[in-house]
Amino acid sequence: MTWKNAMRRITLVAVTAAAVLGATAGQTLAAPPPSDVQPQVVGGVRAAQGEFPWMVRLSMGCGGAMYTERLVLTAAHCVGRTGRDTSITATMGVVDLQDPNRTTVRSDYVYRSPGYPNGDDWALVRLSRAVDVPTLAVANTTAYDNGMFTVAGWGAAVEGGGQQRYLRKAQVPFISDSQCREAYGQLIPAEEICAGNWDDGGVDTCQGDSGGPMFRRDNAGEWVQVGIVSWGYGCARPENPGVYAQTSYFAPAIAAAAADLT
Ligand code: ARG
């Protein structure tokens, strides 16, 4: 499994480089797709305006979800160290990143999980002002760590592909820790949750989706976040599922950090 470990490192480095480029190339988004059926996220379709109103695009080339009116939950590998940080622009309220009705807000502080990079791939970005968009509840029980999940993002539509102008969504089935371990030796079972099509691949998050939420309906029919896009070997490859920070595990730490930031 060491070669996969190495590949993971390479992937993360590549993403960091892409993220840095994204800060300047953030506006060079792909032209609108010729039809609505092109696969994106990987293997998904376009999301409707307002369908996932808490989705956030971060200017370093990551996704996120509104946790409170001033805090965006994202991945630790998307941000720098904890402290004052006005470098990030968050875009929300739209599926089209060039929509004139979009809301853009600057960050003023970043809290990166102190456990990162030993797992703990979550962070909170504090915005310089509150925004009036809905928030996405984070699962604080493992009850929803199963079944079919939805993922969404503006990341690559195919492995190695460019970032997207329009938000895409896809459905990914839960993959057990034991099966995920067959793919990745370094999985942290209690803190990471895997999803994808084991046999065939074809649907997954990909570079640029990092930090965005993986979510499903709870027993009351409300969306609840079960994961944060973290890593994978390539994108949508068979037997190489996507790996997500497991929010049911981190919910208390996220809530404590959020309380401190408010
Ligand atoms: N680390 C990637 C990013 O920064 C996300 C990779 C997700 N990969 C996957 N196969 N699900 O955007």
Side-chain angles (χ1 to χ4, degrees):
M1 291 296 170
T2 20
W3 66 275
K4 277 188 178 167
N5 251 316
M7 283 310 295
R8 180 187 172 188
R9 293 277 133 69
I10 290 162
T11 304
L12 286 172
V13 167
V15 169
T16 306
V20 170
L21 288 173
T24 47
Q27 260 50 266
T28 40
L29 294 156
S35 85
D36 230 8
V37 292
Q38 291 209 333
Q40 327 260 334
V41 158
V42 173
V45 296
R46 258 206 221 179
Q49 177 62 37
E51 192 175 5
F52 309 122
W54 22 256
M55 279 296 306
V56 179
R57 175 68 171 181
L58 298 173
S59 54
M60 84 293 278
C62 279
M66 295 304 296
Y67 182 78
T68 68
E69 60 183 7
R70 253 190 93 179
L71 294 175
V72 179
L73 181 60
T74 187
H77 80 262
C78 289
V79 301
R81 62 175 59 248
T82 295
R84 183 180 143 80
D85 189 334
T86 58
S87 72
I88 304 167
T89 300
T91 301
M92 65 281 280
V94 291
V95 292
D96 174 4
L97 293 176
Q98 294 176 22
D99 189 322
N101 293 320
R102 68 191 181 274
T103 299
T104 58
V105 197
R106 207 81 174 177
S107 63
D108 70 6
Y109 195 88
V110 159
Y111 179 87
R112 187 176 65 182
S113 173
Y116 179 80
N118 302 309
D120 275 58
D121 197 6
W122 66 270
L124 287 168
V125 173
R126 191 175 69 188
L127 305 174
S128 55
R129 63 175 175 87
V131 289
D132 186 21
V133 295
T135 56
L136 175 59
V138 163
N140 54 15
T141 156
T142 57
Y144 302 114
D145 292 346
N146 57 70
M148 186 64 85
F149 304 126
T150 301
V151 288
W154 289 271
V158 293
E159 189 178 321
Q163 300 294 294
Q164 300 299 306
R165 170 174 170 177
Y166 296 94
L167 181 65
R168 308 298 292 201
K169 62 170 180 175
Q171 290 201 299
V172 280
F174 169 77
I175 287 187
S176 70
D177 287 332
S178 56
Q179 187 153 46
C180 201
R181 269 250 154 140
E182 288 177 31
Y184 307 120
Q186 77 271 34
L187 186 77
I188 308 169
E191 306 179 17
E192 293 179 310
I193 181 170
C194 303
N197 283 335
W198 182 263
D199 287 338
D200 302 324
V203 58
D204 198 1
T205 46
C206 199
Q207 269 54 47
D209 293 321
S210 274
M214 178 168 78
F215 46 96
R216 53 161 283 175
R217 298 285 187 179
D218 69 10
N219 290 337
E222 303 292 332
W223 290 120
V224 62
Q225 182 171 0
V226 299
I228 300 168
V229 179
S230 184
W231 60 277
Y233 180 63
C235 303
R237 297 188 186 194
E239 298 180 19
N240 287 278
V243 184
Y244 299 77
Q246 194 164 343
T247 53
S248 59
Y249 181 86
F250 294 111
I254 296 168
D260 266 3
L261 290 173
T262 317

